Amino acid sequence: MDDLQMKRIQDSIKGKIEFKNVSFSWTSTLSPIIKNITFTLAPGKSLAIAGPNGIGKSTLLYLASGLVEPQSGNVAFGPALTPPNEALAQGMRIALVSSKTYFAEAS
């Protein structure tokens, strides 16, 4: 991939993050921890998510990073509304530090 192609990809995924009617449950037997969440985060803006354990704060980040997919609704990036997994494949980078840290064998 040349520099021009990389620039086009990066430009296509810059911009807003959009959650539209997103619902997610960790198992089919539990009620959704995220239910019909809709919001748009504009470029350069921050979002604070606070609350007690178990209400879905980390789950929102997992959805935004593409680590999990919503059961319904859409998560997308940039003006082209690119899904997280496609954006990552196209060169987008996300850093996530979980409240639970896991170490792999020999790490």
Side-chain angles (χ1 to χ4, degrees):
M1 181 178 306
D2 64 29
D3 290 342
L4 183 58
Q5 287 174 315
M6 182 58 80
K7 172 97 172 88
R8 284 188 193 135
I9 289 167
Q10 289 171 343
D11 287 345
S12 74
I13 57 179
K14 283 182 183 175
K16 66 184 175 182
I17 300 172
E18 182 174 293
F19 276 61
K20 189 169 184 178
N21 299 319
V22 172
S23 293
F24 179 82
S25 177
W26 286 103
T27 69
S28 62
T29 58
L30 294 175
S31 297
I33 192 161
I34 305 291
K35 190 172 183 180
N36 293 324
I37 297 287
T38 298
F39 68 88
T40 300
L41 186 59
K45 298 297 180 183
S46 299
L47 174 67
I49 304 168
N53 290 342
I55 64 162
K57 300 178 301 290
S58 295
T59 303
L60 282 173
L61 293 174
Y62 295 150
L63 286 160
S65 66
L67 292 173
V68 297
E69 294 186 12
Q71 273 84 26
S72 64
N74 297 299
V75 179
F77 292 87
L81 295 178
T82 306
N85 290 337
E86 288 181 30
L88 289 168
Q90 294 175 7
M92 183 184 76
R93 301 292 179 250
I94 293 178
L96 172 65
V97 179
S98 177
S99 58
K100 292 182 180 178
T101 304
Y102 300 96
F103 289 98
E105 185 81 25
S107 60

